[in-house]
């Protein structure tokens, strides 16, 4: 068993990992930058190591500083969390060279999945479905035209080194193809120092569904089912859930996608926790998209439904333990969803809203889990991702989970900064959402049908009154037809 582990991350995920370590009797070392001196993770961990200036390049992204901190503090292993160095094959190798265990997959698997064209080839070789597309990178305009004609328009240009939507271009007709290739290629070159692009058939209004896999270092691999992540904005996930409403209606889809995910992970000689992303079209055809070789932000919904602690398993697997859970032991119970609470203003094009948290009341109670990285008096820095916390709710059914989520959102109060908290209450009340009619187009359509009134001073006074009423009778809020902006400004004028 490890005695001490360093957490190469910050925010809520660092806190999540401190908790798992403490439960296992392992000492934790948090790391911090100037902006994070007083972070919750630093306060909660057994030890803390200063990395440097707030800029991530000089702190959380510095391989040398992090390896050095692990050496100085005597940590035998490093958990990278998500983002930062978590999918950096060189970091995984540097850990190994320093005699430190990297809590994650082998460096070779990280590297292979980092190339989207290599990952696609691997999936094809493993017999998993991929979106129809070019065999490899586009060589010239003629090659692109021939391929697009075979696929049929619309097509999608993607960067080989990409991910997260950068360097992606939709092309609807041949006349636009050459210019789009130039655009996508130069964007990819700037972003990834690699201008290679390839073509795929465009899947219209897909669902984004991913499969969680877990493998040990002895060749055992299981999947823990799916998470539906279709509700996203600009490739940033906003709500995730397990099970996917489509799987509840078609359970055989889970089995087929789970098997495809296992074939891909095995072909990559994968171990530890990983996620295989798929697109699912309206006819429930599924296609491999990419593999994320890390613990994901949204892992709590899988934990709530399977009862398995993914971070604990990551630690055991990294220690060389064998998986004791067989595929037939995995059971899915009830329904869970997660809302990502960001310090951003939904009424100002989701602009970041950093600053001092002057008031905080956190939701709790049956079926509610809050993974938070903040406290009252903490100043949210502008330097990093604006994720404050992840609010998750579990219920015996999707309806029950939605009811709990709605209740928890109304309990949650964050003062001093703008957050997207109340925005989620509106989504929970949305008919299409409640019906489980999800696709990656959901949020844009939702924003379109949402009534947004810019409140005047008078309206704010009404909202303040309504917020008071709402505390006594939450139903008064919806019967007054209040938008989240009204409620939020009402609450804030009360907190001032
Ligand atoms: C697609 C697609 C439709 N057809 N590929 C976006 C990010 C990158 N990881 C892959 N993405 C997509 N690839 C084909 N052939 C639609 C998307 C996409 C998307 C995928 C997952 C989650 C959200 C998305 C939002 C817009 C587009």
């Amino acid at each position: 068993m490890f005695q001490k582990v360093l957490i190469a991350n910050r925010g809520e995920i660092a806190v999540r990992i401190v908790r798992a370590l403490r439960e296992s009797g392992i000492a934790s070392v948090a790391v911090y930058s100037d902006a994070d001196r007083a972070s919750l993770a630093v306060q909660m961990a057994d030890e803390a190591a200063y990395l440097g200036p707030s800029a991530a390049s000089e702190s959380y992204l510095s391989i040398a500083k992090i390896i050095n901190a692990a050496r100085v503090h005597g940590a035998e292993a490093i958990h990278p969390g998500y983002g930062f160095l978590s999918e950096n094959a060189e970091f995984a190798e540097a850990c190994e060279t320093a005699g430190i265990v990297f809590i994650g997959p082998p460096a070779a698997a990280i590297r292979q999945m980092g190339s989207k064209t290599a990952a696609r080839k691997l999936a094809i070789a493993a017999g998993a479905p991929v979106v129809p597309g070019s065999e490899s990178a586009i060589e010239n305009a003629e090659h692109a035209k021939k391929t697009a004609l075979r696929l049929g328009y619309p097509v999608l240009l993607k960067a080989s080194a990409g991910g997260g939507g950068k360097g992606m271009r939709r092309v609807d007709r041949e006349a636009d193809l050459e210019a789009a290739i130039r655009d996508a290629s130069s964007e990819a070159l700037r972003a990834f120092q690699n201008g290679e692009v390839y073509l795929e058939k465009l899947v219209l209004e897909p669902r984004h569904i991913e499969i969680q896999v877990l493998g040990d270092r002895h060749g055992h691999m299981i999947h823990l089912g799916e998470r539906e992540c279709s509700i996203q904005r600009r490739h940033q996930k906003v709500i995730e859930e397990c099970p996917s409403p489509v799987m509840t209606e078609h359970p055989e889809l889970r089995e087929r996608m789970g098997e495809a995910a296992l074939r891909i992970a095995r072909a990559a000689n994968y171990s530890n926790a990983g996620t295989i992303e798929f697109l699912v079209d309206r006819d429930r055809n599924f296609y491999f998209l990419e593999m994320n070789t890390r613990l994901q932000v949204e892992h709590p919904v899988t934990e709530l439904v399977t009862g398995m602690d993914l971070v604990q398993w990551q630690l055991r697997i990294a220690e060389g333990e064998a998986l004791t859970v067989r595929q037939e032991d995995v059971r899915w119970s009830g329904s869970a969803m997660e809302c990502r609470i960001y310090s951003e203003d939904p009424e100002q094009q989701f602009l970041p809203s950093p600053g001092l948290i002057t008031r905080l009341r956190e939701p709790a109670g049956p079926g509610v889990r809050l993974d938070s990285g903040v406290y009252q008096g903490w100043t949210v820095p502008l330097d990093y991702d604006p994720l404050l916390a992840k609010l998750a709710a579990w219920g015996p059914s999707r309806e029950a989970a939605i009811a709990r989520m709605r209740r928890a959102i109304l309990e949650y109060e964050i003062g001093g900064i703008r957050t997207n908290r109340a925005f989620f209450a509106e989504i929970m009340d949305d008919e299409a959402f409640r019906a489980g009619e999800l696709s990656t187009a959901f949020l844009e359509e939702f924003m379109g049908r949402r009534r947004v009134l810019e409140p005047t001073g008078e309206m704010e006074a009404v909202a303040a009154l309504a917020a008071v009423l709402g505390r006594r009778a939450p139903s008064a809020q919806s019967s007054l037809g209040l938008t989240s902006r009204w409620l939020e400004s009402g609450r804030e004028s009360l907190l001032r």
Side-chain angles (χ1 to χ4, degrees):
M1 240 242 295
F2 297 135
Q3 308 239 310
K4 196 186 280 185
V5 169
L6 180 137
I7 303 154
N9 216 297
R10 63 177 304 282
E12 66 82 22
I13 195 63
V15 172
R16 165 74 183 92
I17 298 164
V18 169
R19 289 186 167 130
L21 292 170
R22 190 155 288 148
E23 284 176 19
S24 292
I26 303 172
S28 52
V29 185
V31 293
Y32 62 96
S33 66
D34 283 331
D36 281 338
R37 276 178 190 281
S39 79
L40 186 59
V42 167
Q43 293 179 27
M44 285 178 66
D46 296 303
E47 297 170 31
Y50 174 67
L51 294 177
S54 302
S57 58
E58 295 183 71
S59 49
Y60 302 106
L61 285 173
S62 168
I63 294 177
K65 284 180 179 176
I66 286 168
I67 300 268
N68 184 55
R71 274 217 193 93
V72 169
H73 284 258
E76 310 136 80
I78 296 181
H79 195 307
Y82 53 69
F84 296 122
L85 295 171
S86 61
E87 291 182 284
N88 186 316
E90 277 163 43
F91 179 59
E93 279 161 355
C95 289
E96 200 179 334
T97 305
I100 296 165
V101 178
F102 175 77
I103 302 173
I110 300 178
R111 187 163 283 127
Q112 186 164 30
M113 290 302 178
S115 159
K116 304 304 144 187
T117 35
R120 230 175 106 81
K121 282 186 186 135
L122 184 136
I124 294 169
V130 300
V131 189
S134 55
E135 299 290 309
S136 44
I138 292 296
E139 289 150 29
N140 52 49
E142 216 37 54
H143 174 216
K145 280 181 189 169
K146 256 171 61 189
T147 307
L149 209 60
R150 169 170 65 83
L151 300 173
Y153 289 88
V155 294
L156 195 60
L157 276 165
K158 292 186 175 184
S160 302
K166 265 230 178 77
M168 246 170 53
R169 287 286 184 289
R170 173 185 173 144
V171 185
D172 286 280
R173 49 180 191 275
E174 191 174 285
D176 300 337
L177 190 56
E178 274 190 70
I181 293 171
R182 277 196 301 274
D183 272 15
S185 182
S186 64
E187 187 176 319
L189 193 61
R190 260 176 285 132
F192 314 112
Q193 294 79 52
N194 177 348
E196 249 181 46
V197 294
Y198 66 104
L199 267 176
E200 280 183 11
K201 171 106 186 128
L202 180 76
V203 181
L204 293 166
E205 300 201 356
R207 286 175 179 261
H208 178 202
I209 299 181
E210 58 190 31
I211 302 282
Q212 176 71 55
V213 297
L214 195 58
D216 66 20
R217 295 212 195 129
H218 310 280
H220 307 296
M221 187 100 64
I222 58 173
H223 76 82
L224 300 182
E226 79 284 5
R227 290 183 291 262
E228 165 130 20
C229 311
S230 296
I231 302 195
Q232 52 77 44
R233 196 187 149 270
R234 302 205 177 154
H235 307 295
Q236 178 88 281
K237 293 167 185 168
V238 176
I239 300 178
E240 303 99 345
E241 51 182 307
C242 175
S244 160
V246 75
M247 303 279 201
T248 304
E249 273 181 59
H250 304 277
E252 75 286 350
L253 187 59
R254 174 179 302 127
E255 224 163 289
R256 286 169 48 224
M257 284 177 68
E259 274 164 23
L262 288 176
R263 280 199 296 274
I264 293 166
R266 286 195 187 109
N269 288 315
Y270 202 81
S271 64
N272 218 286
T275 297
I276 320 272
E277 294 189 355
F278 294 95
L279 291 180
V280 179
D281 70 16
R282 270 173 271 184
D283 303 322
R284 295 189 305 283
N285 299 303
F286 62 88
Y287 309 97
F288 168 72
L289 209 51
E290 51 195 74
M291 179 168 193
N292 300 319
T293 56
R294 59 166 192 276
L295 179 74
Q296 295 216 194
V297 177
E298 58 271 27
H299 74 277
V301 295
T302 298
E303 296 187 326
L304 286 168
V305 168
T306 62
M308 288 179 66
D309 187 318
L310 280 164
V311 181
Q312 298 284 14
W313 274 112
Q314 285 194 292
L315 296 172
R316 288 185 210 135
I317 288 164
E319 283 166 343
E321 266 188 50
L323 264 178
T324 51
V325 182
R326 292 161 304 175
Q327 189 64 55
E328 58 268 31
D329 300 328
V330 181
R331 292 276 185 277
W332 293 273
S333 167
S335 182
M337 57 184 67
E338 172 182 285
C339 295
R340 295 194 188 187
I341 310 297
Y342 289 110
S343 54
E344 62 183 20
D345 188 349
E347 311 307 327
Q348 303 288 332
Q349 292 83 50
F350 296 90
L351 233 64
S353 173
L356 177 68
I357 297 177
T358 53
R359 185 186 144 78
L360 185 65
R361 183 178 66 188
E362 297 188 328
V368 170
R369 166 174 170 176
L370 185 69
D371 285 63
S372 174
V374 303
Y375 56 88
Q376 190 168 319
W378 165 246
T379 299
V380 180
L382 185 56
D383 309 81
Y384 314 107
D385 183 277
L387 182 71
L388 301 174
K390 304 179 311 205
L391 176 58
W394 180 91
S397 65
R398 187 168 184 269
E399 293 66 39
I402 290 173
R404 275 189 171 147
M405 180 61 84
R406 204 177 167 282
R407 180 272 287 174
I409 291 163
L410 296 175
E411 274 179 31
Y412 208 170
E413 284 189 11
I414 305 168
I417 55 172
R418 294 272 179 194
T419 75
N420 61 349
R421 183 196 60 83
F423 182 67
F424 291 114
E426 288 182 46
I427 297 180
M428 293 302 128
D429 287 338
D430 183 74
E431 255 173 67
F433 177 78
R434 297 178 77 90
E437 288 161 10
L438 310 178
S439 89
T440 54
F442 175 89
L443 210 60
E444 211 166 317
E445 291 167 8
F446 172 79
M447 293 304 282
R449 61 177 173 264
R450 182 174 175 252
R451 309 171 288 137
V452 179
L453 298 170
E454 280 305 309
T456 61
E458 252 170 35
M459 286 167 162
E460 273 180 347
V462 172
L465 182 65
V468 176
L469 283 174
R471 283 185 189 184
R472 303 224 181 96
S475 63
Q477 292 175 349
S478 43
S479 60
L480 283 170
L482 292 171
T483 67
S484 64
R485 172 62 184 244
W486 283 41
L487 270 181
E488 200 71 327
S489 52
R491 278 168 186 269
E492 268 171 27
S493 58
L494 285 174
L495 297 178
R496 271 198 290 267

